[in-house]
Amino acid sequence: MNIYRYEENPLITPEDVKPFHEGFEVIGAFNAGIAKYKDEILMLLRVAERPRSEQPNIVKAPIYNPATQAVDLVEFRTDDVRYDFSDPRVIRDVTQSAGFAYLTSLSYIRIARSKDGRRFTIDDKPFVYPSNPLEAFGVEDPRVTQIGDTYYIYFSVVSPVGIGESMVSTQDFVKVTHHGMIFCPDNKDVLIFPEKINGKYYALHRPTVKSIGSPEIWIAESDNLLHWGNHKHLLGLREGMWDGGRIGGGAVPFRTDKGWLELYHGATKEHRYCMGAVLLDLNDPSNVLARSGKPILEPDAGYEKNGFFGDVVFSCGALVEGDVVKIYYGVADTSMACAELSLQEIMDGLI
Amino acid sequence: MNIYRYEENPLITPEDVKPFHEGFEVIGAFNAGIAKYKDEILMLLRVAERPRSEQPNIVKAPIYNPATQAVDLVEFRTDDVRYDFSDPRVIRDVTQSAGFAYLTSLSYIRIARSKDGRRFTIDDKPFVYPSNPLEAFGVEDPRVTQIGDTYYIYFSVVSPVGIGESMVSTQDFVKVTHHGMIFCPDNKDVLIFPEKINGKYYALHRPTVKSIGSPEIWIAESDNLLHWGNHKHLLGLREGMWDGGRIGGGAVPFRTDKGWLELYHGATKEHRYCMGAVLLDLNDPSNVLARSGKPILEPDAGYEKNGFFGDVVFSCGALVEGDVVKIYYGVADTSMACAELSLQEIMDGLI
């Protein structure tokens, strides 16, 4: 696989982003949804901000408070044995089986704009910011599906009651309409197809299951993009391969003459995140035709291997121009990068 | 609370049900959905059948095979240290964090019919039986919502990829139309309201979350009963109370002059399952008005305290006639019972 990583990579780093919250630092500007709007390429950045702490033995958890519309801080001492601080992203309650109790940063969505797709200017203010109790711990990992003149933007919302997927829409990236939670907890990595197929909308989604099963990709259908059903299991883990630990949708699926191509992320059990592709039937995307034997993109460059959470390439959006697939992707849960790949080479690697 | 338990209780026991599978025994006939059809009361029983084992050191897991339309058996030796057999309902893989790897019984839905609501005759054959890969470990805990002439029957479906909720419909309890999975894993305890409210259908559901959160009740809306969205968190656990461990919807919500009344189950952290009530706004059921301070029904009779999984009362359906609420309920994951309560007393116990 020939991979052309942009010379400008990383395109955006946390240092490029001015904190929105006083007393906070930006620790991530990553996992951006991608849109073409007028003559610009937009990155809908996930910006993660962390409260500055002068005392190394204090960890602060930021929580959006819908009543006051401000961010509250909960402080923890790192020697508090009731909590586990070993993962820098989260605070775990050692008495609970749940994955985490608090996040150490608050994420929201901010737009970066570019004419050439390489040099971006970042908006001063958030574009989508937490606004209700289901978003108290932040909004993460946006994707953008354009249907006609409308851009549907959907993202993980995190709160004490779960992680689900909510959606907004816009026609101008200024005025935003909220549509509520479209996939209930535990779910993330939703990808809505850009057109109806045989009269139905389709979406990929990634339930995080507790009773039985693994973090794998499902598909659902809808008449109106708001309500989803006829859920089917689509794609499973492959033991011992690059996608043997967890998988989830990545970029918005795009049409090729062979089928719908979805660029998805796969991680090993050791949390090394790569990107690969899966080809779905043009007339029935619940039918899997082929998938990448090897990753199409894997952590290699320094900015991909090292960061807040290293060894991660994670795409939420790509642009396709003829044979050129421009994969925009978050690196190491820290920054944004872009690489160009050949569509034909991606197709040739499907097994 | 005055509770009139029927003299005929338990109304149905496993001994009353002839096994459908050769070489199996019926270990449960419980958690029935309730419907009134013509001049009869129907219990849509969850029947659980277990492969007989002549050797005490062998446990068999039954799995429906959609390709052969037969049930395969997987055998485990009880001294196999890779598995945990301590819960009689499931087989756990000790290397996995998931709740279970296999079930020890296969459940399906079978109808019992009665003119008086006390003495039931059980159909010879299953009514809803596993028919696809998402139902490989069985179908469980049906509920029935009648809308016009159509009965919507929805139930948990269990397979190696997760537990979700699927739906069928019928007008005569003979011809059945399948509608696929309406709530994706991990989810169960769905209850569809019997009429539209301000132009939308509503359903309660109970995600089982892994990342963060607790087993609590959510509400969703729909235009067509098949696709669901606008998910909202509705009702949480109450620490230290009868519903402090887990909660989930029970009977189909019914209209009162004060609001929609939902009879839900709550369990302590020690897995003692009781029934209580929650009152929801007539015009906006996502608005909680009040809930039972104490259970309205709790395990007390011998058939409720002792059985396959004891100390459980678990209703999937009730009939309301004036002030009389006839709660049909599964007992000890084994049998069916019925108790009559006063609607006014239930309302008086709401706080």
Side-chain angles (χ1 to χ4, degrees):
Chain A
M1 188 77 58
N2 292 299
I3 300 168
Y4 164 45
R5 287 176 168 85
Y6 285 0
E7 296 79 4
E8 293 85 353
N9 281 353
L11 303 179
I12 302 231
T13 70
E15 292 71 37
D16 300 328
V17 185
K18 189 167 163 261
F20 175 67
H21 303 95
E22 210 178 306
F24 280 57
E25 59 187 336
V26 174
I27 58 165
F30 62 119
N31 296 2
I34 302 297
K36 280 177 109 163
Y37 174 64
K38 294 187 174 169
D39 61 343
E40 290 190 318
I41 292 165
L42 306 188
M43 288 207 284
L44 279 74
L45 295 166
R46 170 181 169 188
V47 171
E49 297 196 9
R50 180 169 67 183
R52 289 184 187 280
S53 178
E54 284 67 41
Q55 298 156 280
N57 63 332
I58 298 288
V59 174
K60 297 176 183 172
I63 305 172
Y64 174 76
N65 182 334
T68 62
Q69 299 187 12
V71 175
D72 298 333
L73 297 181
V74 182
E75 296 201 356
F76 299 86
R77 287 178 56 100
T78 54
D79 59 1
D80 188 334
V81 295
R82 293 172 301 177
Y83 296 97
D84 171 359
F85 303 92
S86 60
D87 183 330
R89 303 171 298 180
V90 301
I91 300 167
R92 290 201 172 91
D93 179 336
V94 297
T95 67
Q96 300 290 321
S97 63
F100 63 89
Y102 297 92
L103 299 182
T104 55
S105 62
L106 184 79
S107 289
Y108 60 88
I109 302 170
R110 202 149 148 182
I111 297 179
R113 300 164 194 267
S114 173
K115 299 269 193 232
D116 64 5
R118 294 168 180 250
R119 291 163 300 164
F120 284 82
T121 307
I122 303 163
D123 284 3
D124 281 338
K125 297 249 165 94
F127 173 60
V128 175
Y129 189 82
S131 62
N132 66 63
L134 295 176
E135 302 173 346
F137 287 178
V139 304
E140 306 182 349
D141 301 349
R143 276 84 167 187
V144 188
T145 297
Q146 182 180 358
I147 300 177
D149 292 338
T150 303
Y151 297 82
Y152 295 91
I153 303 159
Y154 38 97
F155 38 83
S156 304
V157 299
V158 189
S159 82
V161 296
I163 303 177
E165 188 93 0
S166 290
M167 186 166 79
V168 303
S169 62
T170 187
Q171 294 193 314
D172 57 10
F173 290 92
V174 176
K175 188 166 174 286
V176 166
T177 305
H178 286 257
H179 300 292
M181 187 181 276
I182 56 173
F183 286 87
C184 74
D186 231 350
N187 212 316
K188 49 170 55 176
D189 299 327
V190 172
L191 275 314
I192 297 175
F193 286 67
E195 58 186 88
K196 280 190 175 179
I197 301 161
N198 288 324
K200 298 278 183 199
Y201 293 110
Y202 284 86
L204 308 176
H205 58 103
R206 213 297 298 284
T208 304
V209 288
K210 181 176 184 177
S211 303
I212 186 168
S214 301
E216 299 179 330
I217 300 176
W218 288 61
I219 190 165
E221 63 180 47
S222 175
D223 292 331
N224 60 10
L225 300 170
L226 305 178
H227 306 139
W228 294 89
N230 200 15
H231 300 276
K232 294 177 182 172
H233 181 264
L234 184 73
L235 202 68
L237 305 181
R238 291 184 295 188
E239 187 78 29
M241 291 179 67
W242 60 276
D243 50 2
R246 55 175 55 232
I247 56 176
V252 177
F254 57 92
R255 182 186 270 282
T256 74
D257 55 0
K258 296 282 195 303
W260 290 99
L261 198 67
E262 164 62 12
L263 308 180
Y264 71 97
H265 68 265
T268 60
K269 289 196 166 58
E270 294 73 36
H271 308 298
R272 182 173 187 265
Y273 280 75
C274 298
M275 294 298 303
V278 57
L279 190 69
L280 307 174
D281 193 308
L282 275 181
N283 291 307
D284 176 8
S286 72
N287 185 15
V288 175
L289 303 179
R291 59 199 281 199
S292 302
K294 295 177 183 171
I296 60 171
L297 184 66
E298 49 191 316
D300 184 29
Y303 50 82
E304 295 162 352
K305 295 175 82 75
N306 307 306
F308 185 65
F309 196 85
D311 259 344
V312 173
V313 296
F314 189 101
S315 177
C316 296
L319 299 172
V320 184
E321 294 166 7
D323 186 57
V324 179
V325 182
K326 300 178 179 179
I327 305 183
Y328 286 88
Y329 60 105
V331 292
D333 277 12
T334 305
S335 303
M336 280 301 299
C338 185
E340 292 185 3
L341 282 74
S342 153
L343 177 57
Q344 189 58 53
E345 286 189 34
I346 294 173
M347 300 298 272
D348 291 345
L350 298 173
I351 57 175
Chain B
M1 189 76 59
N2 291 299
I3 300 168
Y4 163 45
R5 288 175 168 85
Y6 284 180
E7 296 80 5
E8 293 85 352
N9 281 352
L11 303 179
I12 303 234
T13 71
E15 291 71 34
D16 300 327
V17 185
K18 189 166 162 265
F20 175 67
H21 302 94
E22 211 177 305
F24 281 56
E25 59 188 335
V26 174
I27 59 165
F30 60 120
N31 296 2
I34 302 296
K36 280 177 106 162
Y37 175 63
K38 293 185 175 171
D39 61 343
E40 290 189 318
I41 292 165
L42 306 188
M43 287 207 284
L44 279 75
L45 295 166
R46 169 181 170 188
V47 172
E49 297 195 8
R50 180 168 66 184
R52 289 185 187 280
S53 178
E54 283 68 40
Q55 298 157 280
N57 63 331
I58 297 288
V59 174
K60 296 176 184 173
I63 305 173
Y64 174 77
N65 183 334
T68 62
Q69 298 186 12
V71 175
D72 298 333
L73 297 182
V74 182
E75 295 201 356
F76 300 86
R77 287 178 55 100
T78 53
D79 59 0
D80 188 335
V81 294
R82 294 172 299 176
Y83 297 96
D84 171 0
F85 303 92
S86 59
D87 184 330
R89 302 171 299 180
V90 301
I91 299 166
R92 291 203 171 90
D93 179 338
V94 296
T95 68
Q96 301 288 321
S97 64
F100 62 88
Y102 296 93
L103 298 183
T104 55
S105 62
L106 184 79
S107 289
Y108 60 86
I109 301 170
R110 202 150 147 182
I111 297 178
R113 301 163 194 266
S114 173
K115 299 269 194 234
D116 63 4
R118 294 167 180 250
R119 289 163 302 164
F120 285 82
T121 306
I122 303 163
D123 285 3
D124 281 339
K125 296 249 167 95
F127 172 60
V128 175
Y129 189 81
S131 62
N132 66 63
L134 296 176
E135 301 173 347
F137 287 178
V139 304
E140 305 182 349
D141 301 350
R143 275 84 169 187
V144 188
T145 298
Q146 181 180 358
I147 299 178
D149 291 340
T150 304
Y151 296 83
Y152 295 91
I153 302 159
Y154 37 97
F155 38 82
S156 303
V157 299
V158 189
S159 83
V161 296
I163 303 177
E165 187 93 0
S166 290
M167 186 167 78
V168 302
S169 64
T170 188
Q171 295 194 313
D172 57 9
F173 290 92
V174 177
K175 187 165 175 285
V176 167
T177 305
H178 286 256
H179 300 292
M181 187 181 276
I182 56 172
F183 286 87
C184 74
D186 234 347
N187 212 317
K188 51 170 52 177
D189 298 327
V190 172
L191 276 312
I192 297 176
F193 287 67
E195 58 185 88
K196 281 191 175 178
I197 302 163
N198 288 323
K200 299 279 183 198
Y201 293 110
Y202 285 85
L204 308 176
H205 59 102
R206 213 298 299 282
T208 305
V209 289
K210 181 175 184 177
S211 303
I212 186 169
S214 301
E216 298 179 330
I217 300 176
W218 288 61
I219 189 164
E221 63 179 48
S222 175
D223 291 331
N224 60 10
L225 300 170
L226 306 178
H227 306 139
W228 294 89
N230 200 15
H231 301 276
K232 294 178 183 171
H233 181 264
L234 183 72
L235 202 67
L237 304 180
R238 291 185 294 188
E239 187 78 28
M241 291 180 68
W242 60 276
D243 49 3
R246 56 175 55 229
I247 56 175
V252 177
F254 57 91
R255 182 186 269 280
T256 73
D257 55 1
K258 297 282 195 303
W260 290 99
L261 197 68
E262 164 63 11
L263 307 181
Y264 71 97
H265 68 265
T268 60
K269 291 198 163 58
E270 294 73 35
H271 309 297
R272 182 172 187 265
Y273 280 75
C274 297
M275 295 297 303
V278 57
L279 189 70
L280 307 174
D281 193 307
L282 275 180
N283 291 307
D284 175 8
S286 71
N287 184 15
V288 175
L289 302 180
R291 59 199 282 201
S292 301
K294 295 177 183 170
I296 59 170
L297 184 66
E298 50 192 316
D300 184 30
Y303 51 82
E304 295 163 352
K305 295 175 82 72
N306 306 305
F308 186 63
F309 196 85
D311 259 344
V312 173
V313 296
F314 189 101
S315 176
C316 296
L319 299 173
V320 184
E321 295 166 6
D323 186 58
V324 179
V325 182
K326 300 178 179 178
I327 305 182
Y328 285 87
Y329 59 105
V331 293
D333 277 13
T334 305
S335 302
M336 280 302 297
C338 186
E340 292 184 2
L341 282 74
S342 153
L343 177 57
Q344 188 57 53
E345 287 189 32
I346 294 173
M347 300 298 272
D348 291 346
L350 299 173
I351 57 174

